[in-house]
Amino acid sequence: MIVTGVRATARIVARDDGRGGTALPVLEGDGPLALRRTRASGSEARIMLVGAMSGPLGGDHFAVEAGVERGARLRVGSAAATIALPGQAKGESRYDVRIDVAEGGELHWLPEQLISVRGSDLRVTTRVDLAGSARLVLREEQVLGRVGEEPGRLTSRLSVKVAGRTVLDQELGCGPGAPGGWDGPAVLGGHRAVGQLVAVRPEFAREPVAARMLGEHAALVPLAGPAVLVSAIASDALRLRRVLDEALAFLG
């Protein structure tokens, strides 16, 4: 018997409703990816991504597509951590996120952590395309293994374009089979939680944010455009979240 993984795609479109709010003309969940609208805040629509079943398992391919149209404001979170698990199907699982934000649009993409369980093999790809006056706050957090557990294989790539220009394109591989040195002093240094926060605002082009350390294991650096990147490592998910929250508060 041949076992194949699950294929699932969730789609979101946010649109200015012309009355000072944001409408959601497209809100489509699929299989294990369920979308729930929550109470709006001012002109900002809010959505929670809810896992309707375990996963991604080995061989699964999940995708989330989000489009924020001109002048709309959207915040996306998740109800719980995403857990990458081994499954009956052999081979790598995938989780692809594609984000587009038009002129004057704003997106806060703030999911919970991704946990890489021993024996899993997951590739995560996040691609963001922003118009020149778009705004973005994007947080990614990865936790390597549960308590007392070695991690699975995790490859994560994040790319961000502003007005067609690439401002960030980075990839990190961790766990069994990843390029050597991922757990060495030049990368994670034995830590088991890693994260990044990307903020894009037009005013950063006029008033760039200076590079600085944010505590012992986090750094803020300006990117080649109206954007900044905060990279952080920590011993666990709680400490990582605290660092990234402090970074976001610093950025205002």
Side-chain angles (χ1 to χ4, degrees):
M1 180 178 66
I2 298 175
V3 179
T4 59
V6 174
R7 303 292 187 268
T9 301
R11 296 179 177 88
I12 306 164
V13 174
R15 180 176 298 162
D16 185 350
D17 66 5
R19 303 188 300 274
T22 297
L24 298 170
V26 178
L27 192 63
E28 299 176 353
D30 185 13
L33 299 174
L35 299 171
R36 299 289 183 265
R37 182 165 188 168
T38 60
R39 185 182 298 275
S41 176
S43 62
E44 179 185 76
R46 296 188 171 189
I47 293 172
M48 295 295 289
L49 182 62
V50 181
M53 58 186 287
S54 297
L57 307 176
D60 289 353
H61 184 184
F62 295 175
V64 181
E65 301 170 359
V68 180
E69 298 183 359
R70 181 183 292 269
R73 298 182 63 215
L74 177 66
R75 178 182 296 258
V76 178
S78 59
T82 297
I83 303 178
L85 297 163
Q88 289 182 311
K90 301 296 183 182
E92 179 183 75
S93 55
R94 292 174 55 190
Y95 200 128
D96 297 328
V97 177
R98 177 61 190 265
I99 293 168
D100 292 277
V101 185
E103 297 286 354
E106 181 172 350
L107 173 66
H108 286 215
W109 189 267
L110 302 168
E112 294 301 309
Q113 299 90 352
L114 168 64
I115 301 173
S116 174
V117 169
R118 181 178 180 180
S120 63
D121 185 358
L122 176 64
R123 175 176 290 273
V124 180
T125 302
T126 303
R127 294 186 174 91
V128 183
D129 283 285
L130 306 171
S133 62
R135 294 171 174 269
L136 172 75
V137 174
L138 181 147
R139 182 184 67 211
E140 284 193 344
E141 299 167 304
Q142 290 102 30
V143 180
L144 306 180
R146 294 169 292 194
V147 176
E149 176 186 66
E150 290 299 310
R153 173 73 182 271
L154 175 63
T155 304
S156 176
R157 182 170 182 176
L158 171 62
S159 61
V160 179
K161 291 184 178 180
V162 179
R165 180 184 181 187
T166 299
V167 300
L168 176 66
D169 192 346
Q170 67 176 20
E171 182 172 298
L172 176 64
C174 303
W182 66 269
D183 203 22
V187 187
L188 298 186
H191 293 81
R192 285 294 176 265
V194 57
Q196 44 274 331
L197 180 75
V198 180
V200 179
R201 298 174 186 165
E203 55 266 31
F204 288 161
R206 302 186 299 270
E207 301 177 1
V209 179
R212 66 178 63 207
M213 294 297 297
L214 299 173
E216 186 177 359
H217 300 299
L220 181 152
V221 294
L223 301 175
V228 297
L229 170 68
V230 176
S231 298
I233 56 175
S235 58
D236 57 46
L238 181 61
R239 290 179 174 84
L240 178 66
R241 175 64 60 84
R242 186 179 299 127
V243 170
L244 294 180
D245 283 349
E246 289 173 356
L248 189 56
F250 170 79
L251 292 170

